[in-house]
């Protein structure tokens, strides 16, 4: 079945870096754009970044532009999010989600928690 | 950025009764291709979000028919015809007409 599994979260200090991964299975990964969406504790959803199916285009939320980089390895069915210069406000559960037909987020992973604290 | 505003933010409902959530966008969600990319997501407690409705009124695979969506332009509604216990959670509208994709604040549906 279609599955997304995030990993790489943890507790880090402000100003440091962290790399999240999302392992995809059960579908043709190279045919789908992919997104990262985050959710701060007790808060709503915030779209973070998107990458086209072939990596040709990427867009970011203003809040992470210049600090986060989305990438993918279609040979390894893996999506990544490199997060630099982390801030306390980046503390959140990070979800990867598949970009389905009709501009939908049709499959979500279980998420990986990132806590930025001194 | 397109701002999505949901009302109410909390909706206590009696089991078996209907529930309705409104979502208003700060600008039209009609895309240049003629489609309106407004979706609804459900997030049950402790779970990731799940797609319910896409392009205003299309139920996603496996979604019960008690869920329905309607609206046009900037005003949209999600209706649950008869609330069941498994419907408890937070519901989000989201637009994918333009980047950045944005979400409403969420509406918490709970049982009275």
């Amino acid at each position: 079945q279609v599955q997304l599994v995030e990993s790489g979260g943890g507790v880090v200090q402000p100003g440091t870096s962290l790399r999240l991964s999302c392992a995809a299975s059960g579908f043709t990964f190279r045919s789908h754009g992919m997104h990262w969406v985050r959710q701060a504790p007790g808060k709503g959803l915030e779209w973070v970044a998107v990458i086209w199916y072939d990596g040709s285009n990427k867009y970011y939320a203003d809040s992470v532009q210049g600090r986060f980089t989305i990438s993918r390895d279609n040979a390894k069915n893996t999506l990544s999010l490199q997060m630099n210069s982390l801030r306390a406000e980046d503390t959140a559960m990070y979800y990867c989600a598949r970009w389905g037909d009709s501009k939908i987020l049709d499959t979500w992973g279980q998420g990986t928690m990132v806590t930025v604290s001194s | 950025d397109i701002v999505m505003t949901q009302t109410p933010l909390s909706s206590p409902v009696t089991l078996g009764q209907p529930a309705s959530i409104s979502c208003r966008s700060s600008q039209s969600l009609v895309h240049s291709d003629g489609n309106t990319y407004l979706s609804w997501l459900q997030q049950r407690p402790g779970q990731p979000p799940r797609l319910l409705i896409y392009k205003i009124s299309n139920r996603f695979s496996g979604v019960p028919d008690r869920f329905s969506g309607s609206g046009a332009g900037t005003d949209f509604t999600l209706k649950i015809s008869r609330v069941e216990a498994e419907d408890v959670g937070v519901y989000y509208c989201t637009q994918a007409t333009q980047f950045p994709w944005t979400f409403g604040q969420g509406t918490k549906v709970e049982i009275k």
Side-chain angles (χ1 to χ4, degrees), chain B residues 19-86:
Chain B
S20 181
I21 301 169
S22 294
C23 175
R24 176 166 290 178
S25 57
S26 59
Q27 57 188 271
S28 174
L29 298 186
V30 179
H31 193 273
S32 57
D33 65 8
N35 291 302
T36 300
Y37 296 107
L38 184 283
S39 298
W40 290 95
L41 306 171
Q42 175 197 60
Q43 187 173 32
R44 291 170 172 154
Q47 294 295 312
R50 163 199 177 200
L51 179 65
L52 291 179
I53 302 284
Y54 64 97
K55 284 200 299 185
I56 303 177
S57 60
N58 296 274
R59 269 188 305 276
F60 189 59
S61 175
V63 174
D65 60 8
R66 64 179 180 273
F67 291 94
S68 64
S70 62
T74 61
D75 289 284
F76 308 93
T77 302
L78 175 71
K79 292 183 179 178
I80 310 174
S81 59
R82 294 173 302 279
V83 172
E84 298 188 4
E86 66 178 17

Side-chain angles (χ1 to χ4, degrees), chain A residues 35 37 39 43-47 50 52 59-62 95 99 101-106 108-110, chain B residues 1 31 33 37 39 41 43 46-51 54-55 60 92 96-97 99-103 105:
Chain A
H35 296 252
V37 176
Q39 186 172 34
K43 302 297 184 181
L45 301 170
E46 180 188 14
W47 177 82
V50 61
W52 258 234
Y59 289 99
Y60 299 91
D62 286 347
Y95 297 101
W99 190 351
D101 293 338
S102 299
K103 296 182 184 289
I104 58 176
L105 298 173
D106 66 358
W108 295 66
Q110 290 295 315
Chain B
D1 298 1
H31 193 273
D33 65 8
Y37 296 107
S39 298
L41 306 171
Q43 187 173 32
Q47 294 295 312
R50 163 199 177 200
L51 179 65
Y54 64 97
K55 284 200 299 185
F60 189 59
Y92 297 92
T97 294
F99 287 110
W101 291 14
T102 48
F103 298 89
Q105 321 95 298

